[in-house]
Amino acid sequence: MTGRLWGLGVGPGDPELVTLKAYRILRDADVVAWFAATGRESNARRAVAVHLRPGQEELPLIYPVTTETLPAEVSYEGLLAKFYDEAAASIGALLDDGRDVAVLCEGDPLFYGSYMYLHNRLAAYYDHEVVPGVPSMLAGAAVLGTPLVSLNEMLTVLSGVLPADELYRRLVSADAVVIMKLGRNLAKVRDCVERAGLLARAWYVERATMEAQRVLPLADADAARAPYFSLVVIPSATAPGR
Ligand SMILES: C[S@@+](CC[C@H](N)C(=O)[O-])C[C@H]1O[C@@H](n2cnc3c(N)ncnc32)[C@H](O)[C@@H]1O
């Protein structure tokens, strides 16, 4: 019998925000797989490190590239597709051996999570289940401690990677907004938020629920770039101020 594939949402970073179900599956898994950048600790693993069994088998999946600039002849998408093919093959071999594999994913696995690329390659062939996790955008709203949306208001989730005109167009018609993936897009995002007249209620949240968490008005976030684990939260205008 083949093993079971788990897409395990582990939440935004605080080990206490791991669900009871994720905890049980993590402890029972034969192999725990996680993604990380070269030479960097896996954030998803850090969130569950205190919950791992001593000596539990792990499978690191190390990205060949992250945000670096590549030579023109090298395709970023091509490198990642090959990486996910190889990662899926490694996990498939474990599943064929009858071993249960839990793939850790920060936040929720199907909300911009890398697990989905393995899921797309493996779910048709193996028994599998996705365990939802607390998404970072809701952790971001929680650490602000102010309502995000209420009644019939709409929440818009945007990627900071979008071109400035597209970001602006979506911001001006939004009730409440979360902007993910800031990185080197921080200055562009701040400009667009200001142009859309939303800067006064926009917050910058870095490493939500982790030990190094930082929360400040977006207007004061003036670094050239933001760390990977950062987002912007703009609660609706009807929310009481922070
Ligand atoms: C690839 S997406 C993964 C999202 C994740 N699956 C989730 O459910 O939140 C990565 C982006 O999530 C956001 N993010 C994830 N964890 C975060 C945290 N603890 N604090 C702030 N932003 C976070 C950042 O915007 C980051 O660029």
Side-chain angles (χ1 to χ4, degrees), residues 111-112 135-137 157-161 178-183 185 189 228 230-232:
F111 182 69
Y112 297 115
S136 58
M137 65 169 182
V157 181
L158 299 172
S159 164
V161 180
V178 171
I179 309 175
M180 320 271 299
K181 303 185 182 187
L182 299 180
N185 302 295
V189 166
Y228 178 74
S230 59
L231 43 75
V232 167

Side-chain angles (χ1 to χ4, degrees), residues 63-66 75-85 121:
Y63 293 110
V65 282
T66 45
S75 152
Y76 182 80
E77 290 73 20
L79 284 177
L80 280 186
K82 181 167 174 286
F83 164 67
Y84 288 126
D85 285 346
R121 286 164 170 80

